[in-house]
Amino acid sequence: ERILRLAEMCRRLETEGEKVLPFYPSSLAEGELFDADRVLKEEPMEPLAQALQDYVGLERFWQRFNKARLEEQALARERAAVSHQNQRLRGLLQQYLEGLSVSPEVLSKPNPL
């Protein structure tokens, strides 16, 4: 119940694009989609499969959750790459500025220019 309430709250925060087309198209062929639908509609025989049948309604939630996690990881990697690039550029700028200025400290170091 708590997860469903959270999903309803998050639904209000979605953009129009996410509401209309929230997921990427399936990579399964038509025959594979048909087989998957047929298997999902069959009555499960194993006890574990019967218990999982109660949670089929949460499939969309887990798709959204996993998509959000993937985006979070991609953004974290991008942030790390940009941070590294920023540090490198700051170092180059510092070298350039040191090459332009004249002071005893700068003269004691090798000139980068």
Side-chain angles (χ1 to χ4, degrees):
E1 290 177 10
R2 182 172 180 241
I3 292 174
L4 291 175
R5 278 188 275 129
L6 287 173
E8 288 173 8
M9 289 171 35
C10 291
R11 179 80 173 154
R12 286 183 242 142
L13 301 174
E14 291 177 351
T15 64
E16 285 297 320
E18 290 172 331
K19 289 179 182 178
V20 174
L21 224 174
F23 304 107
Y24 303 106
S26 176
S27 60
L28 298 176
E30 285 186 42
E32 292 172 327
L33 283 173
F34 178 75
D35 291 341
D37 286 339
R38 182 180 48 80
V39 168
L40 285 174
K41 290 178 183 174
E42 290 178 358
E43 188 66 31
M45 298 300 170
E46 296 87 20
L48 179 59
Q50 289 173 350
L52 288 175
Q53 196 70 21
D54 296 339
Y55 299 99
V56 171
L58 293 175
E59 183 178 348
R60 286 278 212 214
F61 167 78
W62 288 115
Q63 287 176 343
R64 289 178 187 269
F65 179 80
N66 290 332
K67 182 181 175 192
R69 292 286 300 205
L70 285 173
E71 288 178 3
E72 177 185 15
Q73 290 178 355
L75 289 173
R77 286 183 181 172
E78 185 178 346
R79 181 178 185 199
V82 168
S83 176
H84 177 71
Q85 183 182 17
N86 188 24
Q87 291 290 55
R88 188 176 58 81
L89 290 172
R90 284 179 187 261
L92 290 173
L93 181 62
Q94 185 66 33
Q95 284 180 352
Y96 177 74
L97 293 175
E98 286 175 355
L100 291 178
S101 63
V102 177
S103 70
E105 183 182 316
V106 171
L107 291 175
S108 67
K109 297 180 185 176
N111 191 337
L113 298 178

